[in-house]
């Protein structure tokens, strides 16, 4: 093997073994340097700009929540048939985004997919932040926010419990647990790297700050031994959640009796869609991150290619689900069901439906071509398309099913207000704010894990004639 | 710590009144006279507390900040006899609504009249009440009512008014009333007419004029042509074959309330094969009478004369000779009209001699009224299906135009306008405003100081509401009843009777005046009985004499032929609005927001036209959507005058006719202002009902119209998408001809969608086989879609109005949605109605999904809605297949003019005092952010159950519970009761073969079921054009087959209508 | 270099976790106890404008509750008596007392006496006295020994769970209709032995509503 470091691991196929995941001839030290740089150097102007824009978005979000509580849910475009609007759409959208994180960290971990190491940290971060955004919506969408605690089971003078038959209540627990587990998982993974930062810290302040959160990690054998066990257990716990969360979110719709909602296909279809959108969001963020922090050699084209393959797969599953919905609508012979889907494709909201189809089903198909899988620009654009498409998927499900159901006399049309739009933008503000802070103050790459996949980590590295 | 109570729901004014100190006006309420029913002025104040008034700021008690604030209790000083605080009392009264006198019972909660019901003992009510009557209670509590007299805008006092009137009286005594003019409305009241008579005799020079849009001028003139002084009175119950010529006689015209009841009685099919009456309708518009018709033909107003002539001719062919100069009539021609149809009609009428009835609408000229009378006579109807009752004591009076010319000729120096609003209602060719400017003193007596007329008058006297003053009324059948107040005048107001007596130099109260009229006939016991029963003198009216058509034929000869209506000669029709009449109800929020029966328009009028006409005029079939629906604007011009308003397509109107509803575009209050466009300017004395030669052209600009149901069909609109075309009509309103029903009684069931047997997702929470189980049936064969139930419900259950901008968003709050569907081709459809409220599913989809259990089932089968538990996730509404749940998106019980300082504070506290007084204390006021819906009037159910428990074995007798909608329904279409009791009315009805459950295939097991509608077409016409009535057995069977085809084996199939209990 | 964190800091994480759990549970306790009417309402005994003593009237004089609260059997409200009721006796009895003077002046002026409400239910809870009296629930059951109160004090929490306890199992709180206003019934021997189902004077067995619309309309 040559000494010249490999620069393109996507098109390089060595005679023995696989192409390395980390390129550019990194060794342990240079890796640490590379991943710690963003934390230890001054904030770049690019970061400052993005961060301040995000802060504006966050301010908008908080402002609008205040307005909503002050005036009532009427500030949204909701009406009588369409009692759920953008709040629920955004909720499902964000929960979906939150999926890739756990999938990458937990499932790929259990399957020993080494390539996950470069991206899992930021994917998990994204998960946690997305769940934060998601959870903010069901909270504020109720009519009497100050009574929302009725949803929790606690002893009270009314002798009343919440209704455990209601999917909304299942949601409260499902998403809550998911958020908590993801947070723990993320944090446990962070500990060794926090310790590294602590040890590299030059100022007292940083030493204390990172010191607190690295829980006195010394990297001793016992630490590593417990760490690996804990990590494995959490991975085991998180894996079923990947499937359960979005299945339960889909019950909100599937358990109801509304044509277009009342479908058994929803759980798998929602999970696939969630992974789909999750990975799209990971790509979007990674493209930015690895450019902004010059990590092309750590987050490499091969990672992107793998992710684009998953997008192609899940995108096709989603496409299949769309087709199957239509088939069942016709095959069931239920005129209400049939109408619900005819109405999606050709009713007043047909534009939404066709945006969804073209973004979710058509655009990923170009990933059949390696050229596109390995072209950052294409990757970035498609990932954006998929995000848009998945938002519209929820729009189509929620709005078009509600606005025309059983009795034509009750049919009406939903149009969003500026508050609806502002809150969608605002939730992105919240998400980006958190992510910017993450990029600035925490290692965006799981350094310790990446080290484990370096050639040098191989016990027989030296025998292979490494230096 | 706590500034005010934090309760988000409240029960009654008393418990919410911020400081228990209502303004003196509000407290000073008691009916004068009739002492045994009344509270004393002071005791009224004291009762305020009995239920615990007064939320004084309460701090500094034990565990101060957590405890509720102090409430005070103000007991009576002397509690009147028979008064049990918190228990409502009922008093009989009587008033004309939309010009028709009827008797009512008013519910009074601790001195506050809150709800109106029909008086079962009154022949023109029979216990029912119209939407307008139901809404009239709200006017009493209108915060914009004039509260004091005023002179040219400056607030004045009643004392000043008295001196003013005394001065006028003194002057009039001197000059025999020269220059004094009275403008009155039609008031069929003995005391009123007595006083007018006295005025005439004391002031011979004084002039009296009458102007009232609801007065039956043409009918009266028609009778006059026949040498009769009186009006026709219909006996719909005696008629088996009815022809309505542009007459909404079971909808909103004349004695519609009783007519509807009698008409429905003629259609109450108990078992297949029962006989039904048959209704033919000829009309330019599409009235709800037309929607009930077995056969309906469209015909422009100007063509009606022609129709009558061809009818007379056709009758002659069937040996019915009508003593009419047909030749004269024959000059009239009906445009493209099916002569065969008329022949069959004539045959049917002739066949039912003595049982046939022809009715013509008030909008048509006297001659035609007379002609119809002659036809009825020839058909042997006189005295059987219609009788002509003499009117007595109607004071001679000039018309408005006489008055205007009088004023312009400066013959008038003092004008007193008693009610009415001529400046607004006058036709375009009468300039009342400038004429009034020529009069030195103009006194207007009306409820609103901002009335168009009051605004230009020198004096405005605030008029008392009918619940504040005494009176007496003669119904059209001769029944006389006393109008008895339930509350002393809240503000500084006078009743019209009091003004009249003041003009005569006396200052008698309305009570004294009425007593004066009756003291020789009624006194002591009989008087009290009259008050109690609501009937003073039973119906008795002499026949008006015998018909003599000589005068008529002379008139016929002088009849001139109208130019035929065509695309180039559009006809504009002016119709009294079904809600606002001529504008008198314009500031009534309930009526403004009530969707019109046919167009479903709220808060507006529009230029109504059918699809064909709209197409010719280049008007878009569908509105544009920019947040809300906006419509094309048109300019309608007649004889040089024109108005601009939105165009609205309404199926079933005659071609080339435009319909403009009167009563809109008023400015007398916040509610009325901005609602619609005034169109009186287009009318002339010559053509006040309809005018030919109109031009309509589209103009720039768009206008938002709040229509609550823009979808016409009972299924997907085939024009909208080719994909929808294959989906048929949905089996929601099931309809079948009487014959088909007789042949296959099970056809109704077969119309349902066949579905595989369905299991419950969750086990039943209750055992519905035991105990009393409440259920309801709604007979679509009787329901006329008149909307009375919707308003009754609104007033019983404290339902808020939400204003136009929110109806536009689709947030109306009515618990009863009057669904209207058209069938057949858009330009000549039939229409059906279906009142849709919560159907109280046993297997309710809403209950399973509510995360906090705010909607749950009661053991007697009701779907309870618990406002104070609701957090407002709105999931229940999504999961309700009927979409009958209503959400408080904003705090609708907050006075819009006051903004809440704290969003967590109960906003209902911001209702103005006067508005609070209208609320029903037995029903919780809903706060922002909670869901609400029909409760089967649970407050009435509970009251009945409590009484049954207190007095007996706790079992409620059938008929003891009457929901507000059932109580007021003119057609008697709604029946509520215990469906486990085989002898109850409701369970007997539910056993009928035409009883079905809407969306039964969803296994909701609804407690409200519907009785399918039957049509009774004339076989002869039916043979020629089977499609002349829309959705029918043919389609139904087809639907059933689609179902079969769709679903595998029949073994697992069940009928939707399979009964579950 | 010196350690930044002392040894004890190893246990802080554990400590924090434990404390947080503690806080959570105490919050729940605070809500379910200190915020419940059991704690906030029982014993509420406001100053009244007139120092009327039920102890004297209902207790020592043994006046029947219904002499004053006479609507209790027909209406939802056991109305506070009109001032006239007081004057029936106090025209002649204790006319000189300053308290009676207040009553008399109020009556002569036709003005109400501003009593302070003691038993307050939320406005969305529709309680009906008549049906409870008909079922044989004694006044004392909810209002306590009013005959021993100089100033009326709230005896029961009047909370929803408290209502439901009885609605779910009414029999312990039922008594013969004749004993409804008997304040001391609970202390009498007949009390122990009473069995509502065996009572021949009862036309029906008592089935109180346990569903929402029973009280909430």
């Amino acid at each position: 093997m040559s000494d010249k470091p490999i620069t393109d691991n996507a098109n390089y196929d060595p005679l023995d073994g696989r192409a390395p995941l980390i390129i550019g001839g990194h060794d342990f030290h240079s890796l640490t340097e590379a991943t710690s740089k963003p934390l230890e150097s001054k904030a770049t102007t690019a970061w400052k700009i993005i961060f301040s824009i995000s802060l504006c978005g966050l301010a908008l979000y908080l402002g609008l929540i205040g307005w909503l509580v002050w005036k009532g849910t009427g500030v949204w475009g909701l009406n009588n048939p369409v009692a759920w609007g953008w709040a629920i759409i955004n909720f499902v959208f964000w929960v979906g985004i939150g999926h890739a994180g756990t999938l990458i960290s937990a499932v790929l971990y259990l399957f020993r997919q080494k390539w996950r190491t470069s991206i899992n940290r930021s994917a998990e971060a994204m998960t946690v932040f997305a769940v934060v955004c998601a959870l903010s919506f069901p909270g504020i969408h109720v009519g009497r926010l100050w009574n929302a605690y009725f949803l929790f089971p606690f002893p009270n003078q009314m002798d009343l419990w919440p209704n455990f038959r209601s999917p909304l209540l299942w949601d409260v627990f499902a998403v809550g647990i998911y958020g908590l587990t993801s947070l723990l998982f993320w944090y446990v993974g962070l500990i060794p790297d926090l310790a590294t930062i602590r040890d590299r810290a030059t100022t007292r302040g940083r030493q204390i700050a990172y010191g607190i959160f690295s829980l006195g990690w010394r990297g001793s054998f016992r630490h590593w031994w417990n760490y690996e066990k804990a990590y494995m257990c959490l991975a085991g716990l998180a894996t079923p959640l990947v499937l359960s969360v979005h299945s339960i979110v889909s019950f909100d719709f599937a358990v109801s009796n509304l044509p277009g909602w009342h479908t058994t296909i929803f759980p798998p279809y929602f999970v696939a869609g969630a992974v789909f959108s999750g990975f799209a969001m990971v790509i979007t963020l990674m493209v930015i991150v690895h450019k902004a922090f010059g990590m092309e050699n750590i987050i490499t084209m091969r990672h992107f290619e793998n992710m684009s393959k998953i997008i192609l797969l899940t995108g096709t599953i989603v496409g299949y689900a769309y087709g199957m919905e239509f088939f069942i609508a016709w095959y069931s012979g239920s005129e209400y069901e049939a109408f619900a889907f005819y109405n999606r494709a050709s009713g007043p909201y047909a534009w939404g439906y066709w945006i969804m189809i073209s973004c979710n089903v058509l655009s990923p198909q170009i990933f059949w071509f390696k050229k596109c899988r390995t072209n950052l620009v294409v990757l970035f654009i498609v990932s954006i398309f998929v995000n848009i498409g998945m938002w519209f998927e929820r729009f189509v499900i929620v709005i078009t099913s509600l606005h025309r159901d059983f009795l034509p006399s009750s049919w009406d049309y939903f149009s969003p207000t500026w508050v609806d739009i502002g809150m969608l933008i605002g939730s992105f503000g919240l998400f980006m704010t958190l992510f910017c802070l993450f990029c600035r103050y925490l290692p965006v790459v799981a350094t310790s894990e990446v080290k484990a996949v370096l050639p040098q980590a191989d016990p027989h590295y030296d025998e292979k004639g490494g230096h | 710590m706590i500034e005010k109570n934090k309760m988000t729901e409240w029960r009654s004014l008393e418990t919410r009144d911020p400081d228990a100190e209502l303004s003196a006006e509000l407290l000073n309420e008691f009916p004068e006279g009739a002492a045994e029913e009344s509270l004393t002025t002071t005791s009224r104040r004291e009762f305020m507390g009995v239920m615990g008034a007064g939320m004084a700021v309460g701090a500094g008690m034990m565990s101060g900040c957590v405890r509720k604030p102090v409430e005070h209790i103000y007991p009576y000083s002397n509690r009147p006899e028979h008064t049990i605080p918190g228990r409502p009392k009922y008093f009989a009264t009587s008033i004309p609504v939309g010009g028709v006198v009827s008797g009512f019972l008013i519910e009074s909660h601790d001195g506050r009249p809150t709800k109106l019901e029909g008086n079962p003992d009154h022949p023109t009510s029979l216990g029912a009440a119209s939407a307008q009557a139901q809404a009239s209670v709200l006017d009493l509590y209108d915060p914009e009512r004039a509260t004091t007299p005023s002179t040219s805008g400056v607030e004045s006092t009643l004392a000043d008014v008295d001196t003013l009137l005394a001065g006028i009286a003194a002057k009039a005594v001197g000059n025999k009333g020269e220059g004094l003019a009275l403008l009155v409305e039609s008031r069929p009241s003995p005391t009123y007419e007595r006083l007018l008579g006295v005025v005439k005799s004391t002031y011979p020079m004084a002039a009296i004029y009458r102007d009232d849009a609801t007065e039956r001028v043409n009918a009266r003139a028609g009778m006059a042509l026949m040498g009769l002084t009186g009006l026709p009175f219909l006996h719909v119950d005696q008629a088996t074959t009815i022809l309505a010529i542009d007459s909404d006689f079971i909808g909103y015209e004349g004695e519609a309330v009783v007519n509807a009841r009698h008409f429905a009685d003629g259609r109450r099919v108990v078992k297949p094969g029962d006989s039904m009456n048959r209704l033919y309708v000829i009309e330019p518009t599409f009235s709800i009478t037309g929607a009930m018709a077995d056969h309906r033909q469209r015909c422009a107003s100007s063509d009606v004369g022609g129709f009558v002539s061809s009818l007379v001719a056709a009758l002659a062919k069937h040996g019915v000779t009508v003593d009419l100069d047909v030749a004269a009539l024959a000059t009239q021609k009906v445009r493209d009209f099916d002569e065969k149809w008329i022949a069959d009609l004539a045959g049917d009428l002739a066949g039912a001699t003595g049982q046939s009835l022809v009715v013509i609408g008030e909008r048509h000229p006297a001659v035609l009224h007379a002609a119809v009378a002659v036809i009825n006579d020839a058909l042997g109807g006189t005295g059987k299906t219609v009788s002509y009752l003499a009117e007595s004591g109607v004071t001679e009076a000039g018309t408005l135009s006489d008055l205007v010319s009088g004023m312009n000729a400066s013959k008038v120096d003092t004008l007193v306008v008693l009610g009415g609003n001529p400046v607004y209602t006058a036709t375009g060719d009468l300039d009342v405003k400038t004429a009034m400017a020529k009069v030195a003193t103009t006194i207007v007596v009306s409820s609103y100081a901002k009335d168009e007329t009051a605004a230009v008058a020198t004096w405005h006297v605030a008029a008392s509401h009918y619940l504040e003053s005494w009176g007496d009324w003669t119904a059209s059948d001769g029944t006389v009843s006393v109008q008895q107040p339930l509350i002393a005048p809240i503000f500084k107001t006078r009743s019209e009777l009091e003004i009249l007596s003041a003009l005569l130099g006396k200052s008698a109260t309305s009570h004294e005046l009425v007593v004066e009229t009756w003291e020789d006939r009624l006194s002591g016991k009989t008087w009290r009985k009259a008050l109690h029963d609501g009937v003073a003198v039973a119906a008795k009216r002499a026949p008006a004499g015998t018909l003599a058509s000589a005068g008529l034929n002379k008139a016929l000869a002088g009849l001139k032929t109208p130019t035929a209506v065509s695309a180039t000669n559009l006809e504009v029709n002016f119709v009294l609005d079904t809600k606002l009449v001529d504008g008198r109800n314009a500031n009534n929020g309930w009526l403004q927001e009530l969707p019109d029966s046919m167009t479903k328009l709220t808060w507006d009028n529009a230029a109504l036209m059918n699809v064909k006409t709209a197409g010719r005029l280049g008007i878009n079939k569908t509105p544009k959507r920019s947040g809300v629906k906006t419509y094309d604007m048109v300019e309608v011009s007649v004889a040089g005058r024109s108005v601009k308003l939105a165009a609205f397509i309404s199926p079933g109107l005659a071609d080339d006719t435009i319909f403009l509803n009167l009563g809109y575009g008023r400015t007398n209050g916040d509610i009325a202002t901005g609602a619609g466009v005034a169109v009186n300017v287009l009318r002339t004395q010559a053509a006040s009902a309809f005018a030919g030669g109109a031009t309509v052209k589209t103009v720039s600009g768009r206008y938002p119209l709040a229509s609550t149901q823009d979808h016409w069909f009972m299924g997907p609109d085939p024009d909208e998408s080719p994909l929808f075309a294959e989906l048929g009509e949905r089996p929601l309103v099931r309809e079948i001809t009487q014959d088909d029903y007789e042949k296959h009684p099970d056809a109704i069931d077969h119309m349902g969608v066949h579905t595989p047997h369905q299991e419950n997702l969750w086990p039943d929470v209750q055992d519905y086989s035991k105990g009393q189980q409440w259920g309801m049936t709604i007979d679509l064969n009787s329901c006329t879609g008149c909307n009375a139930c919707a308003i009754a419900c609104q007033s019983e259950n404290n339902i808020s109005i939400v204003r136009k901008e929110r109806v536009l968003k689709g947030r109306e709050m009515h618990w009863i949605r009057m669904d209207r569907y058209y069938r057949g081709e858009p330009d000549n459809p039939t229409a059906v109605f279906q009142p849709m409220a919560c159907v109280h599913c046993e297997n309710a989809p809403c209950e399973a999904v509510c995360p906090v259990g705010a909607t749950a089932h009661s053991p007697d089968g009701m779907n309870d809605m618990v406002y104070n538990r609701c957090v407002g996730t709105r999931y229940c509404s999504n999961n309700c297949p009927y979409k009958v749940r209503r959400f408080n998106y904003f705090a609708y019980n907050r006075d819009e003019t006051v903004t809440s300082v704290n969003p967590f504070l109960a906003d209902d506290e911001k209702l103005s005092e006067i508005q609070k007084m209208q609320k029903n204390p037995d029903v919780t006021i809903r706060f922002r952010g909670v869901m609400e819906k029909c409760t089967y009037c649970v407050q009435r159910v509970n009251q009945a159950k409590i009484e049954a428990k207190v007095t007996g074995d706790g079992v409620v007798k059938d008929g003891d519970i009457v929901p507000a909608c059932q109580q007021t329904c003119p057609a008697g279409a709604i029946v509520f009761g215990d469906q486990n009791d085989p002898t109850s009315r409701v369970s007997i009805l539910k056993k009928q073969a035409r009883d079905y459950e809407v969306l039964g295939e969803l296994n909701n097991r609804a407690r409200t079921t519907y009785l399918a509608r039957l049509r009774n077409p004339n076989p002869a016409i039916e043979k020629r054009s089977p499609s002349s009535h829309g959705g029918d057995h043919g389609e139904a069977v087809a639907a059933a087959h689609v179902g079969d085809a769709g679903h595998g084996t029949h073994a697992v199939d069940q009928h939707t209508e399979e009964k579950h209990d | 270099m010196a350690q930044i964190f002392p040894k004890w800091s190893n246990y802080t994480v554990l400590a924090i976790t434990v404390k947080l759990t503690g806080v959570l549970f105490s919050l729940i306790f605070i809500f379910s106890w200190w915020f419940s009417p059991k704690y906030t309402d029982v014993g509420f005994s406001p100053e009244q404008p007139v120092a009327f003593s039920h102890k004297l009237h209902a207790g020592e004089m043994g006046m029947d509750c219904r002499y004053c609260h006479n609507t209790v059997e027909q209406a939802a409200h056991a109305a506070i008596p009109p001032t006239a009721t007081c004057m029936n006796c106090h025209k002649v009895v204790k006319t000189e007392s300053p308290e009676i003077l207040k009553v008399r002046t109020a009556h002569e002026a036709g003005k109400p006496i501003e009593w302070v409400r003691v038993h307050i239910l939320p406005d969305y809870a529709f309680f009906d006295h008549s049906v409870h009296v008909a079922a044989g629930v004694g006044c004392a059951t909810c209002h306590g020994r009013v005959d021993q109160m100089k100033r009326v004090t709230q005896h029961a929490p009047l909370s929803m769970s408290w209502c439901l306890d009885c609605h779910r199992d009414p029999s312990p709180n039922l008594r013969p209709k004749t004993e409804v206003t008997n304040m001391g019934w609970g202390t009498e021997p007949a009390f122990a032995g009473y069995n509502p189902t065996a009572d021949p004077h009862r036309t029906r067995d008592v089935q109180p509503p346990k569903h929402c619309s029973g009280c909430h309309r």
Side-chain angles (χ1 to χ4, degrees), chain A residues 68-85 87 141-151 156 158 160-170 251-258 261 326 330-336 338-343 345-348 402 404-413 415 417, chain B residues 8-9 625 627-628 708-711 713-716 720-721 723-724 726-732 753 761-763 765 809-811 817 819 821 836 845 847-853 867-875 877-883 885-890 894 900-904 927-930 998-999 1001-1002 1004 1046-1047:
Chain A
L68 172 82
V69 174
W70 186 272
K71 289 293 290 177
T73 34
V75 297
W76 287 331
L78 303 173
N79 58 23
N80 184 23
V82 186
W84 279 1
H141 108 288
V142 301
R144 298 202 297 170
L145 187 52
W146 48 95
N147 282 349
Y149 68 90
F150 283 175
L151 267 76
N156 58 67
M158 299 172 288
L160 283 175
W161 292 102
N163 174 11
F164 292 102
R165 289 177 175 184
S166 167
L168 275 189
L169 199 66
W170 310 342
F251 289 168
D252 285 347
F253 307 103
V255 170
S256 85
N257 65 358
L258 203 68
W261 283 13
F326 247 90
W330 165 80
Y331 183 70
S332 68
S334 153
E335 55 184 294
Y336 302 119
F339 174 71
F341 285 91
Y342 292 175
N343 186 46
S346 66
L402 279 172
R404 289 181 168 184
D405 62 345
F406 293 97
L407 304 189
S409 54
S410 69
W411 292 358
D412 208 336
Y413 190 85
S415 0
T417 63
Chain B
T8 52
E9 283 78 14
R625 287 204 178 275
V628 299
T708 57
Q709 184 188 344
D710 47 3
H711 197 84
F713 306 92
M714 209 187 307
E720 193 177 340
S721 152
L723 279 173
F724 299 169
E726 78 175 53
L727 301 166
E729 191 180 64
R730 297 177 175 181
L732 306 174
V753 177
L761 180 57
W762 308 104
V765 282
K809 273 195 181 304
R811 295 173 180 174
R817 188 181 65 224
D819 291 354
Y821 301 106
M836 182 58 71
E847 289 172 7
V849 296
C850 175
V852 293
Y867 310 119
N868 40 304
R869 177 71 177 171
C870 178
V871 298
T873 67
R874 306 185 292 284
Y875 200 174
S877 168
N878 289 346
N879 212 28
C880 173
Y882 309 89
K883 289 287 176 288
R885 290 176 156 265
R886 302 285 177 264
F887 188 69
N888 290 269
Y889 282 102
F890 288 116
R894 170 178 57 200
S900 171
V901 290
N902 170 356
F904 302 102
F927 181 46
R928 175 246 281 191
V930 304
V998 175
L999 299 181
E1001 61 270 24
L1002 299 179
N1004 298 327
H1047 311 283

Side-chain angles (χ1 to χ4, degrees), chain A residues 6 22 39 46 48 68-69 90 99 101 141 154 157 173 187 203 228 249 257 358 364 390 401 407 420 427 441 459:
Chain A
I6 303 143
I22 307 303
L39 293 74
K48 285 182 184 148
L68 172 82
V69 174
N90 299 344
H99 258 62
H141 108 288
F154 61 93
Q157 59 90 10
F173 297 114
Y187 177 63
T203 67
E228 291 293 345
V249 169
N257 65 358
S358 40
M390 284 310 291
S401 310
L407 304 189
D420 286 298
S427 65
Y441 296 105

